[in-house]
Amino acid sequence: MSVTNSPETYNGSPQGAEVEGNVDGDISDIKYDGSSTEPTDVGTYAVTADFIPDDTDTYNNLNDASAGNFVINKADSVTTITCPEYVIYNGTAQEPCSVSVEGDGGLFLTFDALTPGAVYENNTNVTGGASVSYEYEGDSNHNGSGDSTTFDIEEADANIIVDGFSGDYDGESHGATGSATGVGEDGELSGLVLGDSFTNVPGGTANWVFTDETGNYNDVNGSVPIEILTLNLTITADTKGKDFGDSDPTLTYTVTSGSLVERDSFSGSLIRDVGEDVGAYAITQGTVVLNSNYNLTYESADLTIGPNTIEVSADSQTKVYGTSNPALTYQFTPALQGGDSFSGSLSRSAGENVGLYGISQGTLALSSNYNLSFTGNNLSITQAPITITADAKTKVYGTSDPV
């Protein structure tokens, strides 16, 4: 007798030997290593059987006779690694793939059941191709198998924070502020250029650029506004005054709100309303300006022209009793302006007898542009001189004197 179907391949189910005799007859009670149970697992089994020939006259019956070996070989296993097309860089070694091992007879192993696990290479940085491999050693019923593949690690987006600026003009240069940080434990990244800075109103746009220097991050760019606002500043004219006829004082002003940046300065000058008579004249902004970085507000004041004080002193006068009054004259200081003149005249106290008579302002006056301060004096009337000439007289001796 002999086994005709050996070897077979493991399939997880019991498999029996097919035994044939070299002559016709019945074969029964096939045993495997002495057991009548058909084997399942891989192995070499000694097969025995009973044989009753059809021609019993010629051939003998056989009991538990050897029929040779029945072999069950290992089945093949299939190892499959499945990976995503790519993963995003995250700063750590990445193991995104799954591994499975399958084979006949219900073999199905997943990654968690595989020891040791898959082998990864170049699986941290963006290097152009990470690889993974796994070799299954096989088991008692299955041959080993392996698989390998690659996957890409693509650039991550860095965490870019860029802020613009909005503030009043202060003479300083202002630009964007910001930072670039990586994922995981990468921390702060270099390669962030924040763009232009601006000093003057209205500012501008800062065009920032991040250029990765590690190879693990996407380059990116953007823009933020840099807004320089006009600085509010108020000047207030200083109140001024002068006397009629005097030269104008210098018109000045004071910063009363806000502050002037050190390097900046005003240009131009204040002016006042036209007029030289006594009164109040508005002081206006005139040509005073600042550069376009300021919003200049002007608050006015007045130049007040006060009357000029003229000191008038009456001249002392004398006349002889009985004569006509002399002209009442006076002296004054300072000089009058332009074509200005006095009106009216001085007067004196009434009286014609010898004595002193006060000289007063009378109707003497000036326009409202002057304060007239008068100092009086006296008119002195002195005694008139009288000359007496005796008349010549004659009398006769012995007569009374004539009158």
Side-chain angles (χ1 to χ4, degrees), residues 222-235:
S223 62
V224 292
I226 307 300
E227 187 180 26
I228 309 296
L229 304 174
T230 52
L231 179 61
N232 293 322
L233 188 143
T234 300
I235 59 172

Side-chain angles (χ1 to χ4, degrees), residues 21-375:
N22 56 353
V23 294
D24 292 338
D26 292 326
I27 296 173
S28 63
D29 198 17
I30 299 173
K31 295 180 180 179
Y32 307 87
D33 291 341
S35 172
S36 59
T37 301
E38 292 182 342
T40 299
D41 293 329
V42 169
T44 300
Y45 300 90
V47 177
T48 61
D50 294 340
F51 179 71
I52 300 175
D54 290 343
D55 182 3
T56 57
D57 293 333
T58 305
Y59 300 100
N60 296 321
N61 292 339
L62 297 176
N63 294 315
D64 202 23
S66 175
N69 291 325
F70 178 62
V71 176
I72 300 177
N73 288 330
K74 289 184 177 182
D76 289 334
S77 65
V78 177
T79 297
T80 303
I81 298 177
T82 303
C83 297
E85 182 180 351
Y86 66 89
V87 295
I88 302 299
Y89 171 79
N90 66 6
T92 63
Q94 300 194 66
E95 299 181 355
C97 303
S98 62
V99 181
S100 64
V101 179
E102 297 180 68
D104 288 343
L107 175 65
F108 184 78
L109 301 175
T110 58
F111 183 80
D112 291 339
L114 299 177
T115 303
V119 176
Y120 286 86
E121 293 182 355
N122 300 323
N123 62 326
T124 299
N125 296 312
V126 178
T127 58
S131 64
V132 57
S133 61
Y134 183 76
E135 292 295 330
Y136 176 60
E137 294 181 352
D139 58 23
S140 60
N141 292 315
H142 296 87
N143 294 313
S145 60
D147 192 18
S148 64
T149 188
T150 60
F151 60 92
D152 290 332
I153 299 177
E154 295 194 351
E155 292 87 348
D157 290 331
N159 182 27
I160 308 294
I161 299 175
V162 178
D163 296 320
F165 174 83
S166 179
D168 289 343
Y169 166 76
D170 60 4
E172 301 295 330
S173 179
H174 295 280
T177 56
S179 63
T181 53
V183 297
E185 301 297 323
D186 280 1
E188 187 170 356
L189 302 175
S190 57
L192 178 61
V193 178
L194 293 171
D196 294 335
S197 296
F198 301 88
T199 299
N200 296 316
V201 172
T205 299
N207 297 307
W208 59 266
V209 176
F210 172 70
T211 304
D212 178 48
E213 298 177 358
T214 69
N216 291 321
Y217 294 92
N218 292 309
D219 293 343
V220 66
N221 60 73
S223 62
V224 292
I226 307 300
E227 187 180 26
I228 309 296
L229 304 174
T230 52
L231 179 61
N232 293 322
L233 188 143
T234 300
I235 59 172
T236 301
D238 298 324
T239 299
K240 297 292 181 177
K242 72 166 188 171
D243 288 341
F244 172 77
D246 292 345
S247 298
D248 278 3
T250 300
L251 301 180
T252 58
Y253 50 87
T254 303
V255 176
T256 53
S257 178
S259 60
L260 188 67
V261 172
E262 183 175 355
R263 72 180 187 181
D264 293 336
S265 60
F266 292 92
S267 63
S269 57
L270 303 180
I271 60 175
R272 70 170 180 89
D273 290 348
V274 175
E276 293 299 333
D277 291 334
V278 168
Y281 297 85
I283 300 171
T284 60
Q285 186 172 346
T287 59
V288 174
V289 293
L290 284 169
N291 63 47
S292 59
N293 291 316
Y294 294 88
N295 178 28
L296 180 61
T297 299
Y298 175 76
E299 294 184 355
S300 66
D302 289 334
L303 167 69
T304 300
I305 300 177
N308 194 353
T309 298
I310 301 297
E311 300 285 346
V312 177
S313 298
D315 296 327
S316 174
Q317 300 291 341
T318 301
K319 77 167 186 171
V320 176
Y321 172 78
T323 62
S324 298
N325 285 326
L328 300 180
T329 59
Y330 50 88
Q331 307 298 319
F332 63 91
T333 187
L336 301 182
Q337 295 296 313
D340 290 347
S341 61
F342 290 92
S343 63
S345 59
L346 301 181
S347 63
R348 71 172 183 87
S349 299
E352 292 298 331
N353 293 322
V354 171
L356 293 176
Y357 297 87
I359 299 173
S360 60
Q361 184 174 342
T363 60
L364 186 69
L366 287 168
S367 72
S368 60
N369 290 323
Y370 299 92
N371 280 328
L372 194 156
S373 176
F374 180 77
T375 301

